[in-house]
Amino acid sequence: MSKKVVWWLCGVIILAFGITMVVNSGLGSGSYEAITFGLSDWLGLTPGTWVSIVNIILIFIGWLITGRKTNMLYPLIGGILLGPLIDFFVLYAYPFPVYTSGSGELGMKILIGTGGIFVISIGAVLTIIVNLFLAPIDYLTIQ
């Protein structure tokens, strides 16, 4: 396995943990996480399963828009991998308290939410800097 792949995997793992921190802070989340976690609450399945499903849909739409000229295999791998990692952190390995919108101390929520944004930034940098392939959401918007 090349160094680029190892760094990319580290970035995706860190990104998944950061997303979990922001969502569990109880302060809100980005639109992408709101969709996937909302679908999980509304229709069942785990948040990570919905992340994978939405990623597959976005990649397929991007592939159709580009006239099927681009390779969608690598973004597909990344998009599907992120889901189980988010599930791992949400369901099994999240070390901080989980807050809902009306519960908990505001200071702790801000600390966890801000920490999550910082962790997401580190994960994003690691996945972008290795320049292996686009993330699913980027695949759709850049194509």
Side-chain angles (χ1 to χ4, degrees):
M1 194 177 325
S2 74
K3 286 183 182 180
K4 279 187 166 188
V5 173
V6 171
W7 281 111
W8 180 83
L9 284 171
C10 289
V12 172
I13 292 167
I14 292 168
L15 188 65
F17 182 66
I19 291 168
T20 304
M21 287 179 70
V22 170
V23 171
N24 285 338
S25 72
L27 294 174
S29 62
S31 58
Y32 190 70
E33 289 79 24
I35 289 170
T36 56
F37 279 75
L39 285 168
S40 175
D41 288 342
W42 187 40
L43 298 174
L45 301 177
T46 63
T49 302
W50 281 110
V51 166
S52 295
I53 291 169
V54 169
N55 283 340
I56 290 167
I57 292 168
L58 290 175
I59 291 168
F60 184 71
I61 291 169
W63 184 65
L64 289 174
I65 288 172
T66 61
R68 302 177 183 104
K69 295 178 185 173
T70 55
N71 184 356
M72 64 183 224
L73 176 65
Y74 295 121
L76 194 60
I77 292 169
I80 292 172
L81 179 64
L82 186 60
L85 288 170
I86 288 175
D87 277 346
F88 172 73
F89 287 117
V90 167
L91 301 173
Y92 305 112
Y94 185 70
F96 305 111
V98 176
Y99 295 105
T100 58
S101 59
S103 69
E105 300 175 11
L106 182 60
M108 192 63 173
K109 288 180 173 185
I110 291 171
L111 183 65
I112 292 173
T114 305
I117 292 169
F118 181 73
V119 171
I120 287 171
S121 301
I122 293 170
V125 165
L126 287 174
T127 59
I128 291 169
I129 203 163
V130 295
N131 199 24
L132 280 177
F133 46 84
L134 297 172
I137 192 76
D138 297 332
Y139 184 83
L140 177 62
T141 58
I142 293 175
Q143 299 301 323

mmCIF file of all heavy atoms in Angstrom, residues 84-124:
data_model
loop_
_atom_site.group_PDB
_atom_site.id
_atom_site.type_symbol
_atom_site.label_atom_id
_atom_site.label_comp_id
_atom_site.label_asym_id
_atom_site.label_seq_id
_atom_site.Cartn_x
_atom_site.Cartn_y
_atom_site.Cartn_z
ATOM 1 N N PRO A 84 -19.400 3.524 6.841
ATOM 2 C CA PRO A 84 -19.121 2.635 7.978
ATOM 3 C C PRO A 84 -18.221 3.276 9.039
ATOM 4 O O PRO A 84 -18.356 2.970 10.220
ATOM 5 C CB PRO A 84 -18.413 1.438 7.329
ATOM 6 C CG PRO A 84 -18.860 1.447 5.913
ATOM 7 C CD PRO A 84 -19.084 2.887 5.563
ATOM 8 N N LEU A 85 -17.329 4.162 8.617
ATOM 9 C CA LEU A 85 -16.485 4.837 9.603
ATOM 10 C C LEU A 85 -17.314 5.773 10.485
ATOM 11 O O LEU A 85 -17.106 5.837 11.696
ATOM 12 C CB LEU A 85 -15.368 5.616 8.908
ATOM 13 C CG LEU A 85 -14.273 4.757 8.289
ATOM 14 C CD1 LEU A 85 -13.345 5.600 7.424
ATOM 15 C CD2 LEU A 85 -13.482 4.036 9.365
ATOM 16 N N ILE A 86 -18.251 6.485 9.879
ATOM 17 C CA ILE A 86 -19.135 7.337 10.682
ATOM 18 C C ILE A 86 -19.961 6.475 11.625
ATOM 19 O O ILE A 86 -20.108 6.807 12.812
ATOM 20 C CB ILE A 86 -20.016 8.214 9.771
ATOM 21 C CG1 ILE A 86 -19.161 9.294 9.119
ATOM 22 C CG2 ILE A 86 -21.176 8.832 10.558
ATOM 23 C CD1 ILE A 86 -19.882 10.154 8.120
ATOM 24 N N ASP A 87 -20.487 5.370 11.135
ATOM 25 C CA ASP A 87 -21.241 4.457 12.011
ATOM 26 C C ASP A 87 -20.380 3.958 13.164
ATOM 27 O O ASP A 87 -20.854 3.861 14.294
ATOM 28 C CB ASP A 87 -21.770 3.268 11.222
ATOM 29 C CG ASP A 87 -23.064 3.574 10.513
ATOM 30 O OD1 ASP A 87 -23.698 4.608 10.839
ATOM 31 O OD2 ASP A 87 -23.442 2.786 9.630
ATOM 32 N N PHE A 88 -19.139 3.627 12.880
ATOM 33 C CA PHE A 88 -18.240 3.142 13.933
ATOM 34 C C PHE A 88 -18.132 4.175 15.046
ATOM 35 O O PHE A 88 -18.270 3.842 16.227
ATOM 36 C CB PHE A 88 -16.861 2.818 13.350
ATOM 37 C CG PHE A 88 -15.838 2.499 14.397
ATOM 38 C CD1 PHE A 88 -15.879 1.293 15.077
ATOM 39 C CD2 PHE A 88 -14.841 3.411 14.705
ATOM 40 C CE1 PHE A 88 -14.941 0.993 16.051
ATOM 41 C CE2 PHE A 88 -13.896 3.117 15.674
ATOM 42 C CZ PHE A 88 -13.948 1.918 16.351
ATOM 43 N N PHE A 89 -17.906 5.440 14.678
ATOM 44 C CA PHE A 89 -17.750 6.468 15.705
ATOM 45 C C PHE A 89 -19.081 6.811 16.373
ATOM 46 O O PHE A 89 -19.139 7.002 17.585
ATOM 47 C CB PHE A 89 -17.097 7.725 15.125
ATOM 48 C CG PHE A 89 -15.642 7.541 14.841
ATOM 49 C CD1 PHE A 89 -15.165 7.629 13.549
ATOM 50 C CD2 PHE A 89 -14.745 7.254 15.848
ATOM 51 C CE1 PHE A 89 -13.818 7.448 13.269
ATOM 52 C CE2 PHE A 89 -13.402 7.066 15.593
ATOM 53 C CZ PHE A 89 -12.935 7.158 14.301
ATOM 54 N N VAL A 90 -20.163 6.886 15.610
ATOM 55 C CA VAL A 90 -21.469 7.229 16.185
ATOM 56 C C VAL A 90 -21.946 6.129 17.135
ATOM 57 O O VAL A 90 -22.441 6.413 18.227
ATOM 58 C CB VAL A 90 -22.516 7.469 15.071
ATOM 59 C CG1 VAL A 90 -23.927 7.517 15.640
ATOM 60 C CG2 VAL A 90 -22.217 8.753 14.319
ATOM 61 N N LEU A 91 -21.799 4.879 16.732
ATOM 62 C CA LEU A 91 -22.390 3.778 17.496
ATOM 63 C C LEU A 91 -21.471 3.155 18.543
ATOM 64 O O LEU A 91 -21.947 2.624 19.538
ATOM 65 C CB LEU A 91 -22.859 2.684 16.531
ATOM 66 C CG LEU A 91 -23.891 3.121 15.490
ATOM 67 C CD1 LEU A 91 -24.136 1.998 14.496
ATOM 68 C CD2 LEU A 91 -25.177 3.576 16.152
ATOM 69 N N TYR A 92 -20.146 3.204 18.326
ATOM 70 C CA TYR A 92 -19.268 2.421 19.187
ATOM 71 C C TYR A 92 -18.127 3.188 19.849
ATOM 72 O O TYR A 92 -17.730 2.848 20.945
ATOM 73 C CB TYR A 92 -18.642 1.258 18.402
ATOM 74 C CG TYR A 92 -19.659 0.374 17.748
ATOM 75 C CD1 TYR A 92 -19.784 0.326 16.379
ATOM 76 C CD2 TYR A 92 -20.525 -0.406 18.510
ATOM 77 C CE1 TYR A 92 -20.723 -0.476 15.763
ATOM 78 C CE2 TYR A 92 -21.478 -1.212 17.910
ATOM 79 C CZ TYR A 92 -21.569 -1.237 16.535
ATOM 80 O OH TYR A 92 -22.507 -2.029 15.933
ATOM 81 N N ALA A 93 -17.564 4.159 19.203
ATOM 82 C CA ALA A 93 -16.285 4.689 19.674
ATOM 83 C C ALA A 93 -16.290 6.185 19.949
ATOM 84 O O ALA A 93 -15.243 6.807 19.952
ATOM 85 C CB ALA A 93 -15.189 4.359 18.644
ATOM 86 N N TYR A 94 -17.446 6.779 20.195
ATOM 87 C CA TYR A 94 -17.488 8.214 20.467
ATOM 88 C C TYR A 94 -17.243 8.454 21.948
ATOM 89 O O TYR A 94 -18.048 8.027 22.784
ATOM 90 C CB TYR A 94 -18.832 8.794 20.033
ATOM 91 C CG TYR A 94 -18.889 10.289 20.170
ATOM 92 C CD1 TYR A 94 -18.151 11.097 19.320
ATOM 93 C CD2 TYR A 94 -19.648 10.892 21.147
ATOM 94 C CE1 TYR A 94 -18.180 12.463 19.436
ATOM 95 C CE2 TYR A 94 -19.700 12.259 21.273
ATOM 96 C CZ TYR A 94 -18.968 13.044 20.419
ATOM 97 O OH TYR A 94 -18.990 14.408 20.545
ATOM 98 N N PRO A 95 -16.125 9.119 22.319
ATOM 99 C CA PRO A 95 -15.740 9.198 23.731
ATOM 100 C C PRO A 95 -16.371 10.346 24.524
ATOM 101 O O PRO A 95 -16.201 10.416 25.725
ATOM 102 C CB PRO A 95 -14.224 9.393 23.653
ATOM 103 C CG PRO A 95 -14.022 10.155 22.387
ATOM 104 C CD PRO A 95 -15.084 9.637 21.436
ATOM 105 N N PHE A 96 -17.082 11.259 23.873
ATOM 106 C CA PHE A 96 -17.619 12.441 24.543
ATOM 107 C C PHE A 96 -19.120 12.280 24.789
ATOM 108 O O PHE A 96 -19.772 11.462 24.163
ATOM 109 C CB PHE A 96 -17.369 13.696 23.691
ATOM 110 C CG PHE A 96 -15.936 13.890 23.330
ATOM 111 C CD1 PHE A 96 -15.514 13.748 22.025
ATOM 112 C CD2 PHE A 96 -14.986 14.200 24.299
ATOM 113 C CE1 PHE A 96 -14.188 13.917 21.681
ATOM 114 C CE2 PHE A 96 -13.664 14.368 23.971
ATOM 115 C CZ PHE A 96 -13.256 14.223 22.658
ATOM 116 N N PRO A 97 -19.677 13.116 25.673
ATOM 117 C CA PRO A 97 -21.129 13.056 25.866
ATOM 118 C C PRO A 97 -21.869 13.461 24.592
ATOM 119 O O PRO A 97 -21.398 14.307 23.841
ATOM 120 C CB PRO A 97 -21.397 14.082 26.977
ATOM 121 C CG PRO A 97 -20.088 14.517 27.487
ATOM 122 C CD PRO A 97 -19.037 14.076 26.531
ATOM 123 N N VAL A 98 -23.023 12.861 24.364
ATOM 124 C CA VAL A 98 -23.858 13.209 23.212
ATOM 125 C C VAL A 98 -24.919 14.179 23.708
ATOM 126 O O VAL A 98 -25.647 13.887 24.647
ATOM 127 C CB VAL A 98 -24.517 11.956 22.600
ATOM 128 C CG1 VAL A 98 -25.462 12.340 21.476
ATOM 129 C CG2 VAL A 98 -23.454 10.992 22.104
ATOM 130 N N TYR A 99 -24.974 15.338 23.065
ATOM 131 C CA TYR A 99 -25.935 16.365 23.462
ATOM 132 C C TYR A 99 -27.033 16.487 22.423
ATOM 133 O O TYR A 99 -26.795 16.358 21.237
ATOM 134 C CB TYR A 99 -25.245 17.725 23.599
ATOM 135 C CG TYR A 99 -24.232 17.767 24.716
ATOM 136 C CD1 TYR A 99 -22.876 17.733 24.447
ATOM 137 C CD2 TYR A 99 -24.646 17.824 26.040
ATOM 138 C CE1 TYR A 99 -21.948 17.774 25.478
ATOM 139 C CE2 TYR A 99 -23.729 17.862 27.071
ATOM 140 C CZ TYR A 99 -22.380 17.832 26.787
ATOM 141 O OH TYR A 99 -21.473 17.865 27.804
ATOM 142 N N THR A 100 -28.236 16.742 22.883
ATOM 143 C CA THR A 100 -29.316 17.091 21.975
ATOM 144 C C THR A 100 -29.429 18.610 21.970
ATOM 145 O O THR A 100 -28.745 19.293 22.726
ATOM 146 C CB THR A 100 -30.644 16.448 22.421
ATOM 147 O OG1 THR A 100 -30.944 16.890 23.743
ATOM 148 C CG2 THR A 100 -30.551 14.938 22.374
ATOM 149 N N SER A 101 -30.284 19.144 21.131
ATOM 150 C CA SER A 101 -30.336 20.594 20.963
ATOM 151 C C SER A 101 -30.705 21.336 22.243
ATOM 152 O O SER A 101 -30.313 22.472 22.424
ATOM 153 C CB SER A 101 -31.308 20.966 19.845
ATOM 154 O OG SER A 101 -32.586 20.472 20.150
ATOM 155 N N GLY A 102 -31.431 20.727 23.159
ATOM 156 C CA GLY A 102 -31.840 21.450 24.362
ATOM 157 C C GLY A 102 -31.125 21.030 25.631
ATOM 158 O O GLY A 102 -31.401 21.545 26.699
ATOM 159 N N SER A 103 -30.212 20.088 25.545
ATOM 160 C CA SER A 103 -29.601 19.567 26.765
ATOM 161 C C SER A 103 -28.137 19.965 26.876
ATOM 162 O O SER A 103 -27.518 20.380 25.920
ATOM 163 C CB SER A 103 -29.694 18.040 26.778
ATOM 164 O OG SER A 103 -28.849 17.498 25.787
ATOM 165 N N GLY A 104 -27.620 19.813 28.057
ATOM 166 C CA GLY A 104 -26.187 19.971 28.272
ATOM 167 C C GLY A 104 -25.730 21.387 28.501
ATOM 168 O O GLY A 104 -26.479 22.347 28.360
ATOM 169 N N GLU A 105 -24.481 21.496 28.870
ATOM 170 C CA GLU A 105 -23.873 22.785 29.112
ATOM 171 C C GLU A 105 -23.450 23.411 27.795
ATOM 172 O O GLU A 105 -22.825 22.753 26.959
ATOM 173 C CB GLU A 105 -22.654 22.616 30.008
ATOM 174 C CG GLU A 105 -22.954 22.016 31.357
ATOM 175 C CD GLU A 105 -21.688 21.761 32.154
ATOM 176 O OE1 GLU A 105 -20.618 22.241 31.745
ATOM 177 O OE2 GLU A 105 -21.784 21.075 33.157
ATOM 178 N N LEU A 106 -23.732 24.675 27.637
ATOM 179 C CA LEU A 106 -23.399 25.370 26.409
ATOM 180 C C LEU A 106 -21.892 25.386 26.166
ATOM 181 O O LEU A 106 -21.431 25.188 25.046
ATOM 182 C CB LEU A 106 -23.949 26.801 26.430
ATOM 183 C CG LEU A 106 -23.709 27.621 25.169
ATOM 184 C CD1 LEU A 106 -24.361 26.951 23.965
ATOM 185 C CD2 LEU A 106 -24.218 29.035 25.351
ATOM 186 N N GLY A 107 -21.109 25.568 27.215
ATOM 187 C CA GLY A 107 -19.656 25.592 27.073
ATOM 188 C C GLY A 107 -19.097 24.289 26.529
ATOM 189 O O GLY A 107 -18.226 24.285 25.661
ATOM 190 N N MET A 108 -19.610 23.186 27.018
ATOM 191 C CA MET A 108 -19.154 21.868 26.545
ATOM 192 C C MET A 108 -19.579 21.639 25.104
ATOM 193 O O MET A 108 -18.814 21.088 24.301
ATOM 194 C CB MET A 108 -19.712 20.773 27.458
ATOM 195 C CG MET A 108 -19.080 19.447 27.239
ATOM 196 S SD MET A 108 -17.321 19.535 27.633
ATOM 197 C CE MET A 108 -16.902 17.829 27.490
ATOM 198 N N LYS A 109 -20.788 22.064 24.757
ATOM 199 C CA LYS A 109 -21.246 21.938 23.381
ATOM 200 C C LYS A 109 -20.337 22.723 22.432
ATOM 201 O O LYS A 109 -19.965 22.230 21.370
ATOM 202 C CB LYS A 109 -22.681 22.457 23.240
ATOM 203 C CG LYS A 109 -23.732 21.589 23.838
ATOM 204 C CD LYS A 109 -25.082 22.247 23.603
ATOM 205 C CE LYS A 109 -26.216 21.384 24.026
ATOM 206 N NZ LYS A 109 -27.511 21.975 23.702
ATOM 207 N N ILE A 110 -20.020 23.947 22.826
ATOM 208 C CA ILE A 110 -19.154 24.789 21.986
ATOM 209 C C ILE A 110 -17.769 24.166 21.861
ATOM 210 O O ILE A 110 -17.188 24.129 20.770
ATOM 211 C CB ILE A 110 -19.078 26.218 22.551
ATOM 212 C CG1 ILE A 110 -20.434 26.908 22.384
ATOM 213 C CG2 ILE A 110 -17.966 27.027 21.881
ATOM 214 C CD1 ILE A 110 -20.551 28.249 23.082
ATOM 215 N N LEU A 111 -17.251 23.635 22.948
ATOM 216 C CA LEU A 111 -15.927 22.998 22.919
ATOM 217 C C LEU A 111 -15.920 21.783 21.990
ATOM 218 O O LEU A 111 -15.021 21.643 21.148
ATOM 219 C CB LEU A 111 -15.522 22.583 24.334
ATOM 220 C CG LEU A 111 -14.142 21.963 24.494
ATOM 221 C CD1 LEU A 111 -13.070 22.986 24.145
ATOM 222 C CD2 LEU A 111 -13.949 21.472 25.913
ATOM 223 N N ILE A 112 -16.917 20.923 22.095
ATOM 224 C CA ILE A 112 -16.979 19.727 21.247
ATOM 225 C C ILE A 112 -17.246 20.113 19.790
ATOM 226 O O ILE A 112 -16.621 19.592 18.870
ATOM 227 C CB ILE A 112 -18.031 18.735 21.768
ATOM 228 C CG1 ILE A 112 -17.572 18.151 23.101
ATOM 229 C CG2 ILE A 112 -18.279 17.616 20.761
ATOM 230 C CD1 ILE A 112 -18.601 17.292 23.798
ATOM 231 N N GLY A 113 -18.161 21.044 19.562
ATOM 232 C CA GLY A 113 -18.464 21.479 18.193
ATOM 233 C C GLY A 113 -17.272 22.138 17.518
ATOM 234 O O GLY A 113 -16.952 21.837 16.365
ATOM 235 N N THR A 114 -16.596 23.025 18.233
ATOM 236 C CA THR A 114 -15.406 23.684 17.672
ATOM 237 C C THR A 114 -14.280 22.687 17.461
ATOM 238 O O THR A 114 -13.583 22.729 16.444
ATOM 239 C CB THR A 114 -14.944 24.820 18.614
ATOM 240 O OG1 THR A 114 -16.036 25.704 18.843
ATOM 241 C CG2 THR A 114 -13.780 25.586 18.028
ATOM 242 N N GLY A 115 -14.107 21.789 18.406
ATOM 243 C CA GLY A 115 -13.104 20.739 18.236
ATOM 244 C C GLY A 115 -13.397 19.877 17.023
ATOM 245 O O GLY A 115 -12.496 19.494 16.274
ATOM 246 N N GLY A 116 -14.689 19.581 16.807
ATOM 247 C CA GLY A 116 -15.087 18.799 15.639
ATOM 248 C C GLY A 116 -14.764 19.502 14.331
ATOM 249 O O GLY A 116 -14.309 18.877 13.376
ATOM 250 N N ILE A 117 -14.987 20.810 14.289
ATOM 251 C CA ILE A 117 -14.645 21.575 13.080
ATOM 252 C C ILE A 117 -13.141 21.520 12.827
ATOM 253 O O ILE A 117 -12.696 21.350 11.688
ATOM 254 C CB ILE A 117 -15.136 23.029 13.211
ATOM 255 C CG1 ILE A 117 -16.665 23.060 13.205
ATOM 256 C CG2 ILE A 117 -14.572 23.903 12.101
ATOM 257 C CD1 ILE A 117 -17.266 24.390 13.589
ATOM 258 N N PHE A 118 -12.352 21.633 13.885
ATOM 259 C CA PHE A 118 -10.897 21.543 13.752
ATOM 260 C C PHE A 118 -10.480 20.148 13.262
ATOM 261 O O PHE A 118 -9.645 20.019 12.361
ATOM 262 C CB PHE A 118 -10.242 21.860 15.101
ATOM 263 C CG PHE A 118 -8.751 21.810 15.067
ATOM 264 C CD1 PHE A 118 -8.021 22.802 14.439
ATOM 265 C CD2 PHE A 118 -8.068 20.765 15.670
ATOM 266 C CE1 PHE A 118 -6.637 22.757 14.410
ATOM 267 C CE2 PHE A 118 -6.687 20.699 15.639
ATOM 268 C CZ PHE A 118 -5.968 21.705 15.008
ATOM 269 N N VAL A 119 -11.086 19.111 13.822
ATOM 270 C CA VAL A 119 -10.759 17.737 13.421
ATOM 271 C C VAL A 119 -11.166 17.495 11.966
ATOM 272 O O VAL A 119 -10.419 16.877 11.195
ATOM 273 C CB VAL A 119 -11.427 16.720 14.383
ATOM 274 C CG1 VAL A 119 -11.300 15.303 13.869
ATOM 275 C CG2 VAL A 119 -10.819 16.836 15.774
ATOM 276 N N ILE A 120 -12.340 17.992 11.563
ATOM 277 C CA ILE A 120 -12.765 17.868 10.162
ATOM 278 C C ILE A 120 -11.756 18.535 9.243
ATOM 279 O O ILE A 120 -11.413 17.996 8.182
ATOM 280 C CB ILE A 120 -14.165 18.484 9.956
ATOM 281 C CG1 ILE A 120 -15.228 17.596 10.574
ATOM 282 C CG2 ILE A 120 -14.464 18.690 8.475
ATOM 283 C CD1 ILE A 120 -16.615 18.224 10.602
ATOM 284 N N SER A 121 -11.255 19.688 9.651
ATOM 285 C CA SER A 121 -10.269 20.408 8.833
ATOM 286 C C SER A 121 -9.007 19.584 8.630
ATOM 287 O O SER A 121 -8.465 19.522 7.522
ATOM 288 C CB SER A 121 -9.912 21.744 9.479
ATOM 289 O OG SER A 121 -11.043 22.550 9.628
ATOM 290 N N ILE A 122 -8.543 18.957 9.685
ATOM 291 C CA ILE A 122 -7.339 18.118 9.573
ATOM 292 C C ILE A 122 -7.603 16.940 8.631
ATOM 293 O O ILE A 122 -6.793 16.627 7.760
ATOM 294 C CB ILE A 122 -6.880 17.628 10.958
ATOM 295 C CG1 ILE A 122 -6.388 18.805 11.790
ATOM 296 C CG2 ILE A 122 -5.783 16.568 10.827
ATOM 297 C CD1 ILE A 122 -6.136 18.463 13.242
ATOM 298 N N GLY A 123 -8.739 16.278 8.802
ATOM 299 C CA GLY A 123 -9.086 15.153 7.930
ATOM 300 C C GLY A 123 -9.224 15.578 6.479
ATOM 301 O O GLY A 123 -8.754 14.888 5.567
ATOM 302 N N ALA A 124 -9.847 16.731 6.251
ATOM 303 C CA ALA A 124 -10.014 17.227 4.886
ATOM 304 C C ALA A 124 -8.666 17.542 4.252
ATOM 305 O O ALA A 124 -8.425 17.218 3.084
ATOM 306 C CB ALA A 124 -10.916 18.457 4.873
#
